[in-house]
Amino acid sequence: MSHVIMFLPINNINNIKNIINNTILSIINSIKKKKIKFCFMKPIIKINKKNHKNFLLSKNKFLNIKYSEHLFFFEKKEILIKELISYYYKNINNYDIFFIEGIYPINNNQNFIFLNYEISKALNAKNIIPLYFNKFNTIINIKQYINLIYNYLKYYINLKIYSFIIIHFNIKKNIKLKKNFLNPIINYIPLNLNLISLNIINIAYYTKLNIINKSKIFKNRIKNIIFYNNNIKYNFNYFNSNILILIPFNNIEKIFKICVYIFNGININSIILTNFNKYFTNIKNKINFSFFLNLPIFITNKTNFKIFKKLKKINFKILKNDYKYTKKTQKNISNYINYNWIKDFKYPLKFKNFTPKQFLYKITQLSKKANKSIILPEGYEPRILKAASICVEQNIAKCILLGNPNKIKKIALLNNIKLNKKIEIINPKKIRNNYINKLVQLRKHKGINKIKAYEALKDNVMLATMMLKSNEVDGLLSGSINTTANTIRPALQIIKTSPENSLISSIFFMLLPDKVLIYSDCAININPTAKQLSEIAIETAKSAKLFNIEPKIAMISYSTGNSGKGKEVEKVKEATNLIKKKRPDLIIDGPIQYDAATTPYVSKIKTPFSKTKGKANILIFPDLNTGNTTYKAVQRSANIISIGPILQGIRKPVNDLSRGAHIKDIIYAIAITSIQASKNK
């Protein structure tokens, strides 16, 4: 699996954009030297007119800024993130590193900053944060600001902070963060004026100036710009060197004063004559005299103010034809950046915890590949109709509804649901008699006859279960209006448990802000024995692997290790030992409290020798009371997507929905049912 590094801008660094771009290039060149395969991505760049593109980005993956702003306007940023995740997964085996440059604020649109956060979390990126400080910032100010940003991004936004790049005037000593932080790598780039100069030819190009004198036009570089007129007196020594002077045409006699400054050693590099008027006849002689200054000279009919606005837009970017300067700048920056961290990314990740968006993308793709048919017996429920339409439209699964077709279409119309024409609708009355004899045969040991079978088949869940048993569909999903008992009872009677299982249990996929956890059992078994608890845990590990999640199991209890006693603790302890004997290959801890199981720094304190190290992704609860209460509390309090209950230990895929399920929950439950069907033996 590829590593993801994100260069994440968060403060105003537009004035030093060339340093930022050269820093990125320096990092990329260092990655190349280590012979690491990488992909550079910039999610959104501004598409300018011809020949105005930044050469750094011209051959890489990007999205058009107008398209992106359009999506923002309609609150469809999820599409942007989905496209990035899609590109990542399509190329996951082609690169060791995905290097993403975050989006800079455009027209003061802070939405793009928050989009950066979403992208970083979606791809589980390690972030490099560039921070610019001007010469008025003290070391104390800088230290406070870094700590503030670190705390905000890591603990409030939930981002992984890998490194800071500090750009500042004359940093002479290292800055250390507070001891309670897990210190990231900090690199310092002293702000050298040589790094922010601009080639005069590029100024002429971008401001559309007419050239009068070409002397040194490709060589001279600009660091300071002066607007010179009758009302202002300058001390040119204050500006040191590399000066561009703008003089209104009606003050052209000031050129002679400029001569004096040059003869006194002031390094003036170029002159722009503004407000040019072609009807002045004495211009030629004066300009010819200025040739002796050996300077590039330009004229324009624009005012000083208009040229100033143009110069602001140039913003000292890396320009297309400035390779020599770019190379020199990168070399300078490379002297200050520690590249030892790059070797950490040389080898691909063996396993990476999914972020919620990665997980959702993954299951929808697996479901599309499976292409299974899922029966939905609750055909009159609007949420089911909407979810089925989306699934069919996006090719997630083939959906079959049970119900009167005319009634279903009316319900869809009343709820403004565009029912996809590819959805198959089956009228239960027309097929019910087909399953009477088969149901009698399956349940004759319970004394069922044809009359009782006919009555039982009036329940659409039972009818759908018979269709699944007859291999007419691949999976079944119910529960949006039916209870868990009504969904599971027919499955237990007709489908039954798989040969290696003695019970059916359930799992929930809990999509927390930065990770995916699996909770079990939160829906079926009221008070499982130690043996049953061990079976639930082993079956949950199998389910996790089905979705490419490496199981790290925590057997939850109110006690960690040997810190507490009681029947419930002993049950969990016994179950843990049984699992270790049956499946010594599994990573498991128990009994263990929830915080120690899921929080690394708590794990270091409570369970320093833990195998899960506070990174458990499967949490097995000791009883239904604990599990069901916990999952509902987390789901509703954190406002997250919870997919389930997903049944396991059963011969064919039958899944239940919470009666409070949202449309998204139903869509992903359909996808999961489809994936289970593809793996069903």
Side-chain angles (χ1 to χ4, degrees):
M1 225 176 227
S2 306
H3 299 270
V4 181
I5 302 172
M6 187 163 181
F7 198 87
L8 189 71
I10 59 167
N11 71 349
N12 185 15
I13 54 178
N14 287 324
N15 293 330
I16 54 157
K17 192 68 186 296
N18 72 319
I19 297 180
I20 295 300
N21 284 339
N22 275 305
T23 301
I24 292 169
L25 278 172
S26 297
I27 293 170
I28 287 172
N29 289 334
S30 297
I31 292 171
K32 282 181 180 177
K33 287 177 184 177
K34 301 285 185 183
K35 296 182 178 179
I36 297 173
K37 292 184 291 182
F38 77 97
C39 171
F40 177 83
M41 298 175 70
K42 187 172 177 71
I44 302 173
I45 66 170
K46 191 170 184 178
I47 308 298
N48 296 317
K49 293 179 181 178
K50 274 189 177 181
N51 300 322
H52 282 230
K53 289 183 182 178
N54 181 333
F55 78 90
L56 169 62
L57 309 173
S58 60
K59 294 182 180 179
N60 291 284
K61 180 79 176 174
F62 60 84
L63 303 176
N64 186 294
I65 189 70
K66 287 184 179 178
Y67 167 67
S68 307
E69 287 179 330
H70 169 79
L71 291 176
F72 265 118
F73 182 77
F74 290 104
E75 296 183 346
K76 291 182 179 178
K77 65 179 180 180
E78 292 295 322
I79 297 173
L80 296 175
I81 295 172
K82 192 178 284 186
E83 287 194 27
L84 272 175
I85 293 173
S86 173
Y87 187 77
Y88 170 74
Y89 273 104
K90 285 176 184 175
N91 295 277
I92 200 166
N93 296 318
N94 298 333
Y95 304 105
D96 299 316
I97 295 176
F98 276 78
F99 190 99
I100 301 173
E101 183 183 0
I103 307 154
Y104 298 87
I106 300 165
N107 299 327
N108 294 317
N109 188 344
Q110 291 300 308
N111 282 330
F112 287 106
I113 295 295
F114 290 103
L115 178 59
N116 281 337
Y117 300 155
E118 292 293 320
I119 291 169
S120 178
K121 286 194 282 188
L123 291 171
N124 204 22
K126 292 183 177 179
N127 296 285
I128 298 174
I129 314 292
L131 294 175
Y132 164 63
F133 299 95
N134 63 39
K135 59 186 175 182
F136 301 108
N137 291 111
T138 65
I139 295 296
I140 293 173
N141 294 148
I142 294 171
K143 185 177 179 180
Q144 288 173 343
Y145 187 72
I146 295 171
N147 280 313
L148 180 68
I149 291 298
Y150 183 85
N151 190 39
Y152 173 74
L153 294 179
K154 186 171 179 65
Y155 297 104
Y156 183 73
I157 305 294
N158 289 317
L159 300 183
K160 291 184 177 179
I161 311 302
Y162 191 74
S163 171
F164 282 104
I165 293 179
I166 311 301
I167 302 165
H168 181 247
F169 284 91
N170 302 320
I171 287 181
K172 293 180 180 178
K173 61 180 181 178
N174 290 345
I175 299 170
K176 292 184 179 179
L177 301 183
K178 290 180 181 179
K179 289 182 180 179
N180 60 323
F181 290 144
L182 302 172
N183 284 353
I185 300 165
I186 299 184
N187 297 285
Y188 307 93
I189 302 176
L191 192 57
N192 185 338
L193 288 177
N194 290 323
L195 298 179
I196 56 172
S197 63
L198 191 64
N199 195 317
I200 186 62
I201 188 62
N202 288 317
I203 291 178
Y205 178 80
Y206 277 91
T207 52
K208 296 181 180 178
L209 303 174
N210 294 311
I211 301 170
I212 298 298
N213 184 30
K214 294 183 179 179
S215 176
K216 298 183 180 178
I217 196 169
F218 295 102
K219 185 178 179 181
N220 285 6
R221 305 195 69 84
I222 302 303
K223 294 179 188 174
N224 301 290
I225 299 172
I226 293 175
F227 298 85
Y228 192 62
N229 59 39
N230 284 329
N231 301 321
I232 301 173
K233 292 183 180 179
Y234 287 100
N235 178 2
F236 283 92
N237 287 310
Y238 176 78
F239 293 97
N240 297 318
S241 62
N242 300 87
I243 299 168
L244 166 66
I245 298 179
L246 279 77
I247 306 174
F249 181 76
N250 56 359
N251 289 333
I252 200 166
E253 66 275 6
K254 297 297 180 185
I255 288 181
F256 296 104
K257 288 191 177 182
I258 299 301
C259 291
V260 176
Y261 290 124
I262 292 172
F263 292 143
N264 286 331
I266 301 300
N267 188 359
I268 294 173
N269 273 8
S270 185
I271 296 171
I272 298 176
L273 300 175
T274 59
N275 297 91
F276 176 70
N277 190 325
K278 64 181 179 179
Y279 297 107
F280 281 84
T281 57
N282 61 349
I283 180 67
K284 187 175 181 180
N285 290 333
K286 292 184 179 180
I287 294 298
N288 283 338
F289 180 82
S290 70
F291 285 177
F292 292 103
L293 299 176
N294 200 25
L295 293 177
I297 297 178
F298 308 89
I299 58 172
T300 178
N301 59 3
K302 295 183 178 69
T303 63
N304 271 14
F305 179 70
K306 284 185 178 179
I307 294 296
F308 172 70
K309 283 177 72 176
K310 282 274 188 180
L311 290 172
K312 276 189 74 176
K313 289 182 180 178
I314 292 176
N315 211 16
F316 296 103
K317 294 177 182 176
I318 300 176
L319 300 172
K320 190 172 182 179
N321 58 353
D322 214 356
Y323 293 108
K324 188 175 180 181
Y325 169 68
T326 297
K327 199 168 183 179
K328 181 181 176 182
T329 308
Q330 288 172 39
K331 188 176 180 181
N332 189 304
I333 290 170
S334 293
N335 294 332
Y336 296 98
I337 296 181
N338 179 1
Y339 293 112
N340 289 334
W341 57 269
I342 292 174
K343 64 185 179 183
D344 296 341
F345 300 97
K346 189 170 184 178
Y347 303 102
L349 291 171
K350 291 182 180 178
F351 168 75
K352 186 171 77 171
N353 285 323
F354 288 111
T355 66
K357 285 186 172 62
Q358 285 176 325
F359 178 74
L360 295 177
Y361 173 82
K362 192 74 176 174
I363 62 173
T364 52
Q365 294 305 305
L366 287 171
S367 182
K368 285 178 183 181
K369 190 176 179 181
N371 193 32
K372 298 296 182 180
S373 57
I374 308 302
I375 185 80
L376 305 166
E378 299 165 325
Y380 301 136
E381 169 56 43
R383 289 171 296 164
I384 294 291
L385 300 185
K386 182 67 175 176
S389 291
I390 292 170
C391 284
V392 171
E393 186 180 334
Q394 297 181 7
N395 297 315
I396 292 171
K398 299 172 186 174
C399 292
I400 301 167
L401 298 173
L402 282 182
N404 183 296
N406 291 329
K407 187 176 178 180
I408 287 173
K409 287 172 184 176
K410 282 182 183 178
I411 292 169
L413 189 64
L414 286 170
N415 288 275
N416 198 27
I417 297 168
K418 189 177 180 181
L419 205 61
N420 195 292
K421 292 179 181 179
K422 292 181 180 179
I423 294 175
E424 185 180 354
I425 303 174
I426 298 175
N427 193 330
K429 289 182 180 179
K430 292 184 177 181
I431 65 166
R432 197 172 288 143
N433 292 336
N434 300 342
Y435 303 96
I436 292 174
N437 290 334
K438 193 165 188 176
L439 182 56
V440 170
Q441 185 67 27
L442 290 168
R443 300 289 291 163
K444 64 183 179 180
H445 63 287
K446 291 293 183 180
I448 194 168
N449 55 32
K450 287 187 177 183
I451 296 172
K452 288 181 180 179
Y454 181 80
E455 289 299 316
L457 287 167
K458 285 183 179 179
D459 177 4
N460 280 356
V461 178
M462 175 61 84
L463 181 59
T465 305
M466 289 300 297
M467 293 174 73
L468 180 62
K469 176 68 175 178
S470 304
N471 296 320
E472 293 169 12
V473 294
D474 299 308
L476 185 155
L477 181 66
S478 180
S480 65
I481 54 177
N482 280 284
T483 63
T484 297
N486 285 345
T487 298
I488 294 172
R489 190 183 303 110
L492 284 169
Q493 292 171 351
I494 306 301
I495 307 297
K496 302 187 183 298
T497 59
S498 54
E500 66 271 21
N501 292 104
S502 65
L503 77 167
I504 293 174
S505 59
S506 70
I507 60 172
F508 283 84
F509 290 100
M510 307 296 290
L511 277 58
L512 300 177
D514 59 340
K515 59 187 173 183
V516 177
L517 298 180
I518 300 175
Y519 286 4
S520 184
D521 176 10
C522 305
I524 298 175
N525 298 286
I526 296 173
N527 191 17
T529 64
K531 186 178 179 181
Q532 289 173 328
L533 205 58
S534 68
E535 186 179 316
I536 291 168
I538 290 170
E539 198 61 27
T540 304
K542 290 179 186 177
S543 296
K545 287 187 175 180
L546 180 62
F547 298 95
N548 296 325
I549 296 173
E550 183 186 358
K552 295 180 181 178
I553 306 167
M555 305 296 286
I556 300 300
S557 172
Y558 61 78
S559 168
T560 294
N562 297 315
S563 64
K565 293 182 179 180
K567 288 182 180 179
E568 290 301 312
V569 177
E570 293 304 316
K571 179 178 81 170
V572 174
K573 192 180 291 185
E574 184 184 345
T576 305
N577 291 332
L578 285 170
I579 296 164
K580 287 178 179 179
K581 287 179 183 178
K582 289 180 185 177
R583 292 291 303 275
D585 57 307
L586 292 176
I587 298 170
I588 184 167
D589 265 338
I592 189 169
Q593 290 166 291
Y594 192 103
D595 57 348
T598 59
T599 313
Y601 80 87
V602 175
S603 176
K604 284 183 180 180
I605 298 167
K606 289 187 175 182
T607 55
F609 303 106
S610 168
K611 289 183 178 180
T612 58
K613 298 178 181 178
K615 295 180 180 180
N617 50 24
I618 293 175
L619 296 111
I620 307 297
F621 294 99
D623 53 60
L624 186 60
N625 185 50
T626 307
N628 192 269
T629 304
T630 303
Y631 113 76
K632 285 189 182 295
V634 173
Q635 180 194 24
R636 299 303 175 187
S637 300
N639 192 28
I640 62 166
I641 293 175
S642 171
I643 307 171
I646 306 299
L647 303 188
Q648 54 187 19
I650 192 167
R651 289 176 184 267
K652 289 176 178 286
V654 176
N655 286 320
D656 186 27
L657 290 166
S658 167
R659 276 169 287 174
H662 297 295
I663 292 166
K664 279 186 177 180
D665 302 336
I666 299 168
I667 292 167
Y668 296 126
I670 290 171
I672 285 172
T673 308
S674 177
I675 295 165
Q676 287 179 315
S678 70
K679 302 293 182 182
N680 190 45
K681 294 181 181 179

